[in-house]
Amino acid sequence: MGTAGDGREAVEAVRRLAAGGRVPDVVLMDVRMPRLDGIEATRLLLDGGVDPPPRVLVLTTFDLDDHVYAALRAGASGFLLEHAPAAELLHAVRVVAAGEALLAPEIASRLTSHYLATGPALAPAGARPARLAALTPRETEVLELVGRGLSNAEIADRLVVAEQTAKTHVSRVFIKLGLRDRAQAVVLAYETGLVRPGG
């Protein structure tokens, strides 16, 4: 639907398309661009700039931990390295367009290491984080499973419920916590200590 040479052009292009009633399903966003970097451009697109907001897949040669974390905090739904083969890129676009989160395996590994080295202090084991007070015990369990990267089908299998029931639980968790997608749920699960690296 469109291309842009920098972050500012990307935001303007998406807003122009949205004004014409054609919001892109997925935006491929580079991290390092002139005028406005991809992380700030992602934040502008997803913080009420476009309704409904597009899904953002961050595509870059830079796999630095801070960029991954910042992109996910800005609301990106996926992070993929530019050296990924074309088939992997197409798969990533489809996954993100379907509302799922996607992290390249090497990035997921580095993100876990980042949390081990520099992440927030974790709550004591068994403690219920205050940010999750609105959730029922079952919903908290569902958030933990989402945070561990399980799909709805895998959550249903783990909880011995129908997949539609698992999907309903996931939707309620997202609504109660104001989460846009699974990527934000993963970040929150780590930030609250609900999921622990290596646990």
Side-chain angles (χ1 to χ4, degrees):
M1 292 176 70
T3 59
D6 60 52
R8 192 167 305 284
E9 282 183 24
V11 172
E12 290 168 0
V14 172
R15 287 179 174 167
R16 192 168 45 251
L17 288 164
R22 298 174 39 211
V23 177
D25 295 312
V26 177
V27 174
L28 288 179
M29 188 74 75
D30 197 353
V31 167
R32 292 196 180 176
M33 293 184 289
R35 294 206 299 161
L36 187 69
D37 68 59
I39 293 169
E40 186 58 29
T42 296
R43 192 173 288 114
L44 288 173
L45 286 176
L46 301 180
D47 282 349
V50 177
D51 187 33
R55 303 277 179 186
V56 177
L57 175 61
V58 176
L59 185 64
T60 183
T61 57
F62 302 97
D63 61 346
L64 301 177
D65 302 322
D66 288 343
H67 289 147
V68 177
Y69 184 69
L72 292 173
R73 292 281 300 170
S77 296
F79 204 107
L80 198 63
L81 299 181
E82 281 181 0
H83 67 67
E88 190 175 334
L89 176 58
L90 289 172
H91 171 73
V93 169
R94 289 185 181 109
V95 167
V96 169
E100 300 291 327
L102 184 135
L103 287 178
E106 61 268 41
I107 293 174
S109 174
R110 289 173 66 90
L111 187 61
T112 299
S113 298
H114 176 76
Y115 267 101
L116 282 170
T118 64
L122 297 174
R128 183 174 175 82
R131 288 173 68 185
L132 307 182
L135 301 182
T136 66
R138 175 48 64 101
E139 289 166 347
T140 303
E141 185 179 9
V142 167
L143 176 60
E144 178 185 350
L145 295 174
V146 171
R148 294 186 186 284
L150 274 66
S151 68
N152 289 345
E154 291 167 331
I155 291 170
D157 187 55
R158 183 74 63 92
L159 299 180
V160 194
V161 297
E163 185 173 349
Q164 185 57 45
T165 301
K167 186 176 180 180
T168 299
H169 283 312
V170 170
S171 296
R172 285 184 183 150
V173 167
F174 285 15
I175 291 167
K176 284 185 176 183
L177 298 177
L179 301 173
R180 220 179 340 258
D181 56 29
R182 291 177 108 85
Q184 287 191 328
V186 170
V187 170
L188 180 63
Y190 274 92
E191 284 182 340
T192 57
L194 191 61
V195 173
R196 294 164 184 266

